[in-house]
């Protein structure tokens, strides 16, 4: 049996401050198994367990909320401390439908040295469905490519290729 004969199970986790729009993004995109910390940020020990066996992380901030952007280095420290060094990380600025209330410029985000470790950076609007699928599909394609090349590190207790009927990506 070749790798093409398998479905894969990848763990993608959304992290970021409460209220930045993680749950809205997940609700708009249901083709993958995605873990949403859903406001549990105040329970750090619970959130940290989400990092275990994670293949990809989507670091999320609200473009209208300066505080959510200022907290990104703290989230990056958690990634460095609790996630695998091979985890793929993306950055998503949410709520671009509220651009008139923008508190974080795109230039400022691009100039952030710490955020350059992210595989990609984009802005979304769950309300208008702008760019909602892109971060998930980009990550799924990257993870699938790595799995097929046998370069994806499996951090879980079960093997990556698994028989079954997972949603097609």
């Amino acid at each position: 049996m070749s790798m093409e004969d398998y479905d894969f199970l990848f763990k993608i986790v959304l992290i970021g401050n409460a209220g930045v729009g993680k749950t809205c993004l997940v609700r708009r995109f249901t083709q993958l198994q995605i873990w949403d910390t859903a406001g549990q940020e105040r329970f750090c020990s619970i959130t940290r367990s989400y990092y275990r066996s994670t293949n990809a992380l989507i670091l999320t901030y609200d473009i209208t909320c300066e505080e959510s952007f200022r907290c990104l280095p703290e989230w990056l420290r958690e990634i460095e401390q609790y996630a695998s060094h091979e985890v793929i990380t993306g950055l998503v600025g949410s709520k671009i439908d509220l651009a008139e209330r923008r508190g974080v410029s795109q230039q400022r985000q691009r100039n952030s040295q710490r955020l350059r470790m992210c595989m990609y950076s984009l802005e979304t609007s769950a309300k208008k469905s702008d760019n909602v699928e892109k971060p998930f599909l980009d990550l799924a394609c990257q993870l699938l490519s790595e799995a097929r090349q046998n370069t994806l590190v499996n951090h879980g207790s079960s093997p990556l290729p698994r028989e079954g009927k997972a949603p097609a990506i």
Side-chain angles (χ1 to χ4, degrees), residues 103-133:
V104 180
S105 71
Q106 289 177 319
Q107 186 63 38
R108 181 166 173 223
Q109 180 269 312
R110 280 193 294 271
N111 289 342
S112 175
Q113 189 69 31
R114 291 273 291 159
L115 297 176
R116 292 194 180 145
M117 69 174 274
C118 296
M119 178 181 118
Y120 65 85
S121 172
L122 59 90
E123 293 184 346
T124 67
S125 169
K127 185 174 185 177
K128 293 187 176 183
S129 295
D130 292 342
N131 277 338
V132 171
E133 293 181 355

Side-chain angles (χ1 to χ4, degrees), residues 28-132:
R28 288 290 196 165
F29 188 80
T30 58
Q31 292 177 334
L32 299 171
Q33 179 185 27
I34 303 163
W35 292 46
D36 173 10
T37 55
Q40 294 185 30
E41 293 79 12
R42 62 186 174 271
F43 305 111
C44 289
S45 62
I46 294 171
T47 306
R48 289 177 185 147
S49 70
Y50 284 12
Y51 293 116
R52 274 188 238 122
S53 71
T54 297
N55 301 104
L57 291 159
I58 299 177
L59 185 56
T60 312
Y61 71 98
D62 175 349
I63 68 155
T64 70
C65 179
E66 172 71 23
E67 178 62 22
S68 71
F69 186 80
R70 277 199 313 263
C71 289
L72 292 179
E74 189 175 317
W75 287 105
L76 288 169
R77 279 191 292 281
E78 282 211 1
I79 291 169
E80 291 167 357
Q81 186 173 2
Y82 298 107
S84 162
H85 295 295
E86 293 87 11
V87 72
I88 298 171
T89 306
L91 178 67
V92 171
S94 66
K95 304 184 184 181
I96 58 171
D97 53 289
L98 301 174
E100 70 280 356
R101 293 179 24 205
R102 181 181 283 276
V104 180
S105 71
Q106 289 177 319
Q107 186 63 38
R108 181 166 173 223
Q109 180 269 312
R110 280 193 294 271
N111 289 342
S112 175
Q113 189 69 31
R114 291 273 291 159
L115 297 176
R116 292 194 180 145
M117 69 174 274
C118 296
M119 178 181 118
Y120 65 85
S121 172
L122 59 90
E123 293 184 346
T124 67
S125 169
K127 185 174 185 177
K128 293 187 176 183
S129 295
D130 292 342
N131 277 338
V132 171

Side-chain angles (χ1 to χ4, degrees), residues 145-163:
S145 174
E146 289 183 17
R148 288 185 173 150
Q149 295 173 22
N150 287 326
T151 58
L152 182 69
V153 177
N154 181 18
H155 306 289
S157 56
S158 62
L160 273 177
R162 75 176 223 158
E163 295 179 293

